[in-house]
Amino acid sequence: MIAPRGRRLAIDVGSVRVGVATCDPDGILATPVETVQRTPDDADVRRVAALAAEYEVLEVIVGLPRTLRNTDGPAVEAARDFGDQVAAAVAPVPVLYHDERLTTVTAAGALRASGRKGKAARAVIDQAAAVAILQGWLDARRNQGRDASD
């Protein structure tokens, strides 16, 4: 089954920031959107929901930071909790989860290689991780010929 044409939105959930990325309508290339500051209220969830509406996404992909042993720790629980809040805010748009092991490490390495360091890198690291999550999801879906979600 071929997935419907349309944009997807990916989020990299951190304790301080949420990186956001989207893709083209053909699902070929993921690009950064913005970094959303986490808030004690639901302003961060509302901002992600507003971006989902702005980009008219078909699905939201939430990265699950599983351990290298493929187990769920506190970070996975936090990502699922945030994803559940986003799901309530964007319904009926589905929220899917995708393994994102090492995406932040990969993103940090790529930013260092491109010459971005320190505060400049921290400002976009979460966006770069969200791009890695979405690109991985898109590639897996394309390679498997089916949905790559959990």
Side-chain angles (χ1 to χ4, degrees), residues 26-116:
D26 293 319
I28 295 170
L29 184 64
T31 56
V33 173
E34 75 177 62
T35 301
V36 177
Q37 286 297 125
R38 293 297 303 267
T39 61
D41 58 11
D42 66 346
D44 48 359
V45 172
R46 286 185 283 121
R47 180 61 189 150
V48 170
L51 290 168
E54 178 182 335
Y55 284 93
E56 299 176 345
V57 301
L58 298 180
E59 298 165 316
V60 175
I61 315 304
V62 179
L64 289 182
R66 292 193 169 121
T67 68
L68 292 177
R69 291 180 163 180
N70 198 27
T71 60
D72 294 355
V76 168
E77 187 177 317
R80 283 194 186 276
D81 180 55
F82 191 82
D84 291 347
Q85 292 176 55
V86 169
V90 300
V93 173
V95 171
L96 310 172
Y97 296 90
H98 182 69
D99 186 355
E100 65 137 311
R101 278 177 274 189
L102 301 178
T103 54
T104 300
V105 173
T106 302
L111 288 172
R112 270 193 307 278
S114 71
R116 285 201 162 167

Side-chain angles (χ1 to χ4, degrees), residues 8-12 59-63 94-98 133-134 137 147 149:
R8 274 68 179 179
L9 191 82
I11 57 176
D12 174 55
E59 298 165 316
V60 175
I61 315 304
V62 179
V95 171
L96 310 172
Y97 296 90
H98 182 69
I133 291 165
L134 184 54
W137 185 86
D147 188 40
S149 64

Side-chain angles (χ1 to χ4, degrees), residues 1 6 8 11 17 24 31 50 87 91 94 97 125-126 129 132 135:
M1 181 176 138
R8 274 68 179 179
I11 57 176
R17 294 173 298 274
D24 61 284
T31 56
Y97 296 90
I125 189 78
D126 301 293
Q135 194 65 57

Side-chain angles (χ1 to χ4, degrees), residues 118-130:
K119 287 186 180 184
R122 281 195 301 273
V124 295
I125 189 78
D126 301 293
Q127 290 176 45

